[in-house]
Amino acid sequence: LREASADSVSAYRLIESEEKNKEPAILFMGEKGTDIALKMKELFWSSFPKEIPVKALYWNTGQQNSLEEYIRDSEYHILFSIGVDRYELLDTPHLDISEVITLNRNPRVYEILKDYFTEEEIRTLLNNLVKNFSLQNIIQHLTILNPVTLTDRIEVSLDLLQHYLNIRFKPNTIMSLYIHLSFLIERLVTKNPIESCRDPELFKKERSGFIGMVEKSFQNITDHYHVEIPISEIAYIYEFIEHNDDGEN
């Protein structure tokens, strides 16, 4: 047993050493059919008080290889990842978009940044992130639609949806939903909706109540933008809420 334990420790140290010898990178995660990952990178990079020797990588939902496979097989050492969704990654720290402005509260990410910035530079970085990652600025930067009209209508729809579901979403879920829904509406306006849904007929049968709630909640949006929300997009909203929020009664 002692020999097996020693072998395991040696193997771990070898993998850890190999990772540290790779070029460092930050991974930005987006949605299939959008350039959200690239635009998040632009906002994040523009917050740096100075240039650092770190590469930006991109991964979108719907890619052939899973997120875990992408990280495992990458030729880069991924320091941490940033995305709209929450992810539980075994060895890679992750920030969802609502956590970016408080990244100093994530001890693993904070320690990584200290390798590249002084304490004063980190304070500057945090101040820049607060400005660049405000909800209004994110939506203005990430979508082609009028951000004021868009956020006002999403706010009404989310309030109604929470009322119908009889739950209150957590603050970070609400912020993430604003961004998801902004892209959803943009996809519908530009006639590029998500078309994949594992079993649309089964979803309609099992989640008919949820579908009706979404349709009623989002009527102010569909009427204003002259669009209809297909089942595939409603299923996407359902999966996002189920994955990101257990709700509060």
Side-chain angles (χ1 to χ4, degrees), residues 16-234:
E16 190 178 50
S17 175
E18 289 174 349
E19 281 295 305
K20 289 184 176 178
N21 288 331
K22 295 179 180 179
E23 184 180 351
I26 298 172
L27 177 63
F28 294 88
M29 297 150 54
E31 298 178 8
K32 182 180 180 182
T34 74
D35 58 356
I36 186 172
L38 173 62
K39 291 183 175 180
M40 278 196 298
K41 177 263 178 182
E42 291 172 352
L43 285 175
F44 196 74
W45 243 243
S46 68
S47 303
F48 288 167
K50 67 180 182 184
E51 290 188 15
I52 59 174
V54 174
K55 189 175 181 63
L57 302 178
Y58 310 100
W59 179 88
N60 288 324
T61 56
Q63 285 188 197
Q64 187 172 6
N65 53 343
S66 69
L67 176 59
E68 289 77 10
E69 290 171 335
Y70 181 90
I71 292 174
R72 183 195 66 205
D73 299 336
S74 177
E75 61 185 273
Y76 297 92
H77 171 46
I78 297 175
L79 301 173
F80 57 91
S81 60
I82 297 174
V84 176
D85 292 348
R86 285 189 296 169
Y87 283 90
E88 296 295 333
L89 302 171
L90 184 60
D91 298 315
T92 305
H94 176 75
L95 298 169
D96 71 46
I97 202 164
S98 65
E99 296 172 319
V100 169
I101 61 175
T102 56
L103 56 76
N104 59 316
R105 297 180 188 173
N106 185 309
R108 295 174 69 189
V109 173
Y110 189 68
E111 286 301 313
I112 290 168
L113 291 174
K114 284 168 65 176
D115 290 336
Y116 299 94
F117 300 114
T118 65
E119 291 288 348
E120 184 177 348
E121 288 169 340
I122 289 177
R123 283 195 293 272
T124 301
L125 169 62
L126 290 170
N127 288 335
N128 292 340
L129 289 172
V130 168
K131 177 181 66 178
N132 290 339
F133 279 81
S134 68
L135 180 61
Q136 195 79 10
N137 193 59
I138 290 173
I139 292 178
Q140 183 171 2
H141 190 77
L142 299 185
T143 73
I144 62 173
L145 303 175
N146 182 300
V148 176
T149 302
L150 189 59
T151 53
D152 285 348
R153 292 188 177 277
I154 290 174
E155 180 181 13
V156 171
S157 294
L158 286 180
D159 283 346
L160 283 171
L161 184 58
Q162 290 174 94
H163 170 73
Y164 291 137
L165 292 172
N166 194 31
I167 61 173
R168 302 304 298 176
F169 299 141
K170 296 173 182 176
N172 61 332
T173 301
I174 289 177
M175 183 172 182
S176 297
L177 275 170
Y178 267 96
I179 297 163
H180 272 286
L181 294 172
S182 296
F183 274 99
L184 182 156
I185 297 161
E186 181 178 305
R187 285 196 297 268
L188 298 181
V189 169
T190 57
K191 298 181 171 26
N192 187 34
I194 289 176
E195 296 178 350
S196 60
C197 181
R198 282 195 294 270
D199 192 335
E201 294 305 317
L202 180 63
F203 182 80
K204 284 193 286 187
K205 180 180 178 181
E206 292 185 344
R207 306 297 175 190
S208 59
F210 181 81
I211 293 169
M213 293 175 190
V214 169
E215 289 174 342
K216 286 191 292 184
S217 302
F218 286 72
Q219 188 172 350
N220 85 94
I221 289 174
T222 54
D223 288 350
H224 179 80
Y225 292 102
H226 306 290
V227 295
E228 292 184 4
I229 304 179
I231 291 298
S232 56
E233 292 282 8
I234 296 176

